[in-house]
Amino acid sequence: MGSLRLTLCSAALAVTVLTPAAHAADGGSVTVTPSSPAPGADVALRVSGCAVKSATAASAAFVTDARLTGSGGTLAGETRVRTTIKAGSYDVRISCADTRVNGKIIVRPGSAQPSGQAAPPAHASPSAHTSPVAPVPAGGGGTAHLSAVDDARAAGPGTAQGVTGLILAGVAAVAVALLGSRRSRRTG
């Protein structure tokens, strides 16, 4: 019975040590430039507190999630504010490794003019959209999709797969211990 207890304690210890934390406490900061953009404006994001080389910034105010890159705990990237968004405060969530950085973007009323273009005359009819409404799948013959698949493979298994593997390993260890104790009873 001592080997069963040792096996169970070892399995419990392995699960405890190897199970990663789902998310660390919020840390870092988010800087948006310009600080109060208008709908349709391009914005630059700067994030501190991420110990990885890339992350993603998501917000309901953005046309698409911003890909942030950098090093030394500081990441930067660009995106565009939706042209159809209403003025107000919107959350910005940055996911980087096991850290989550949160910030806000305050969209002011009005509309931004694309750089280098004059405002349309007052009598002009409104255009459909000055910025994309959704991401466009781009790349030479699907290379963008292949790149995304390669990035996903490089990231490795997630927390759910790790926990599932540890549970299965624990069950296997218990089964081996039970079979070993049965064999020792038969021979003794």
Side-chain angles (χ1 to χ4, degrees):
M1 193 65 175
S3 65
L4 176 61
R5 192 175 309 156
L6 177 64
T7 303
L8 291 175
C9 289
S10 298
L13 179 63
V15 168
T16 304
V17 169
L18 297 176
T19 302
H23 290 285
D26 291 349
S29 65
V30 180
T31 305
V32 179
T33 306
S35 58
S36 295
D42 290 331
V43 293
L45 300 165
R46 188 169 190 85
V47 179
S48 65
C50 287
V52 293
K53 293 182 181 182
S54 68
T56 303
S59 176
F62 299 157
V63 170
T64 185
D65 293 350
R67 179 168 164 79
L68 307 172
T69 57
S71 63
T74 302
L75 305 176
E78 296 178 347
T79 189
R80 180 170 284 175
V81 177
R82 292 182 185 275
T83 57
T84 57
I85 196 100
K86 293 183 184 337
S89 177
Y90 296 89
D91 290 332
V92 178
R93 296 166 311 283
I94 292 88
S95 300
C96 51
D98 60 351
T99 303
R100 190 172 201 95
V101 180
N102 295 310
K104 294 255 185 222
I105 182 172
I106 299 171
V107 178
R108 66 175 167 82
S111 63
Q113 297 302 320
S115 59
Q117 293 184 3
H123 66 279
S125 61
S127 64
H129 290 285
T130 58
S131 65
V133 178
V136 178
T143 56
H145 172 69
L146 294 175
S147 175
V149 171
D150 289 342
D151 288 346
R153 287 183 187 147
T159 304
Q161 290 86 3
V163 170
T164 302
L166 290 172
I167 290 171
L168 291 173
V171 168
V174 169
V176 168
L178 289 175
L179 288 175
S181 68
R182 284 185 182 170
R183 285 184 185 153
S184 66
R185 279 190 231 150
R186 287 181 190 165
T187 59

